[in-house]
Amino acid sequence: MSGQRIEQRGLYFDELVLGAIYAHRPGRTLSEADNIAFTTMTMNNQGLHLDAAWAATQPFGKPLVNSLLTLSTMIGQSVAQLTEGTIIGQLGINDVRFPHPMFHGDTLYTETEITVLRPSKSRPGQGLASMTHTGRNQHGEIVATATRTCLMWTQQAHEEAKKAAGDE
């Protein structure tokens, strides 16, 4: 054993590649239990998510996965690969779309394209990264898209900040 310690982290601002598409795996199968827990936890009493008998009378004929669960899972799938420990803060989520519903038992696969990289004008050692997340179900149908902007560390600035704080 080498004793080397390797800590999982996302990518720093200066490691992100403009135009690159990052595929996040594994996918996540969203179950009825996931949907009910998320929907009730967030106090969303929409029958399309909670009432199978009523949802059966609606256009899709069965309950839909809560779209905000789909969005949250899609963004969450990107964290380990892109922003874990390297993000300072999420600045916004824009252009959210749900072109096809998710149903209980569907599996969500997410890819993220880096669309804008801009060094911060007011915060040296930090940068703004915009990324477009695309979620597809197991059939390849796009179920969600969203653009997210994050304030990210550069590697050198983060290491200097940790050292100054005594957090090595």
Side-chain angles (χ1 to χ4, degrees):
M1 287 177 93
S2 71
Q4 183 179 13
R5 181 182 169 158
I6 301 170
E7 187 172 322
Q8 180 175 326
R9 66 166 173 85
L11 299 174
Y12 284 104
F13 175 77
D14 40 333
E15 295 174 309
L16 294 170
V17 177
L18 187 63
I21 297 175
Y22 298 86
H24 313 298
R25 299 295 183 267
R28 175 65 159 83
T29 302
L30 297 175
S31 69
E32 180 179 13
D34 294 327
N35 193 42
I36 290 172
F38 183 90
T39 299
T40 56
M41 180 174 45
T42 57
M43 300 180 66
N44 179 342
N45 66 346
Q46 174 55 254
L48 285 172
H49 309 310
L50 297 173
D51 185 337
W54 182 78
T57 69
Q58 298 307 300
F60 291 107
K62 56 187 172 181
L64 305 178
V65 169
N66 186 317
S67 58
L68 293 180
L69 173 57
T70 302
L71 176 64
S72 296
T73 304
M74 182 174 67
I75 290 173
Q77 287 177 315
S78 74
V79 169
Q81 191 173 17
L82 296 178
T83 62
E84 178 66 42
T86 59
I87 189 174
I88 297 161
Q90 180 166 272
L91 303 179
I93 302 171
N94 301 309
D95 303 319
V96 178
R97 304 275 186 268
F98 302 103
H100 189 278
M102 289 278 291
F103 300 106
H104 299 158
D106 281 353
T107 301
L108 180 64
Y109 295 96
T110 299
E111 295 181 350
T112 302
E113 180 179 1
I114 306 301
T115 56
V116 176
L117 292 173
R118 181 179 67 77
S120 173
K121 294 174 185 162
S122 61
R123 300 175 75 111
Q126 299 174 12
L128 295 149
S130 291
M131 49 196 80
T132 298
H133 302 289
T134 301
R136 290 181 172 81
N137 65 16
Q138 68 276 12
H139 306 295
E141 298 162 316
I142 295 175
V143 296
T145 59
T147 299
R148 179 166 74 125
T149 301
C150 303
L151 184 62
M152 309 276 301
W153 285 106
T154 63
Q155 187 168 6
Q156 181 179 348
H158 195 209
E159 289 171 0
E160 290 171 2
K162 289 192 294 187
K163 186 179 271 188
D167 263 358
E168 285 192 86

